[in-house]
Amino acid sequence: MFMNDVVQAARNDMDQAGYEQLTTPEEVDQVFNEKGSVLVMVNSVCGCAGGIARPSAAYMKNFDVKADRYVTVFAGQDKEATEKARSYFTGYPPSSPSFALLKDGELKMMVERHEIEGHEPIQIVQKLEEGLETHFK
């Protein structure tokens, strides 16, 4: 029961932040193969997801340079969707939490767990802002 509450709270955080939850491989393919830009957060139930990554994701909705879509997959929960998303992150091992920037289906940038864990949310926000400015402006 406790774990279900933790998972639901993590999902709610992303819903409240305005991210679309992709729960199937088909949804991932559909969004990732569209023309335009996508900011993806690979969500998880770990402390660095709740204390660093999800707050950073929420903040990014307020940044001047916008992605066309803001989406999330949930590692350990929506396993097939997460596996499909990770298939687009070529050259990077599975990592959660993490962020990916895609443009026209092509990976432009990753922020992996080792770049999130032990850092302040503002540091993650700054990396993502730089990535959006570089690849989506």
Side-chain angles (χ1 to χ4, degrees), residues 4-21 41 43-45 54-55 57-58 72 74 78:
N4 290 340
D5 291 342
V6 172
V7 169
Q8 192 56 53
R11 286 188 190 280
N12 291 346
D13 284 349
M14 295 309 292
D15 286 342
Q16 291 170 0
Y19 282 67
E20 177 185 357
Q21 296 202 35
M41 187 212 167
N43 201 358
S44 73
V45 294
R54 288 194 298 273
T72 184
F74 206 131
D78 302 319

Side-chain angles (χ1 to χ4, degrees), residues 28-114:
V28 171
D29 276 337
Q30 180 181 348
V31 170
F32 286 17
N33 286 309
E34 291 176 355
K35 289 285 185 198
S37 57
V38 182
L39 173 58
V40 183
M41 187 212 167
V42 179
N43 201 358
S44 73
V45 294
C46 70
C48 62
I52 303 168
R54 288 194 298 273
S56 299
Y59 180 85
M60 291 310 298
K61 291 286 290 196
N62 300 311
F63 188 55
D64 292 339
V65 179
K66 305 279 188 211
D68 295 317
R69 302 280 294 266
Y70 295 81
V71 301
T72 184
V73 294
F74 206 131
Q77 300 302 311
D78 302 319
K79 294 177 185 178
E80 294 84 10
T82 302
E83 184 177 319
K84 177 55 80 170
R86 287 175 171 158
S87 75
Y88 286 84
F89 309 155
T90 54
Y92 293 90
S95 177
S96 58
S98 62
F99 291 92
L101 303 180
L102 292 98
K103 187 165 186 180
D104 299 333
E106 181 183 338
L107 180 66
K108 297 296 184 179
M109 179 183 163
M110 284 291 301
V111 178
E112 298 175 272
R113 179 187 176 100
H114 70 87

Side-chain angles (χ1 to χ4, degrees), residues 39 56 59-66 99 101 109 111 121-137:
L39 173 58
S56 299
Y59 180 85
M60 291 310 298
K61 291 286 290 196
N62 300 311
F63 188 55
D64 292 339
V65 179
K66 305 279 188 211
F99 291 92
L101 303 180
M109 179 183 163
V111 178
I122 190 63
Q123 294 171 295
I124 309 315
V125 164
Q126 289 168 339
K127 280 183 191 223
L128 292 170
E129 286 176 344
E130 183 179 322
L132 265 67
E133 287 178 340
T134 300
H135 300 291
F136 295 174
K137 201 168 188 182

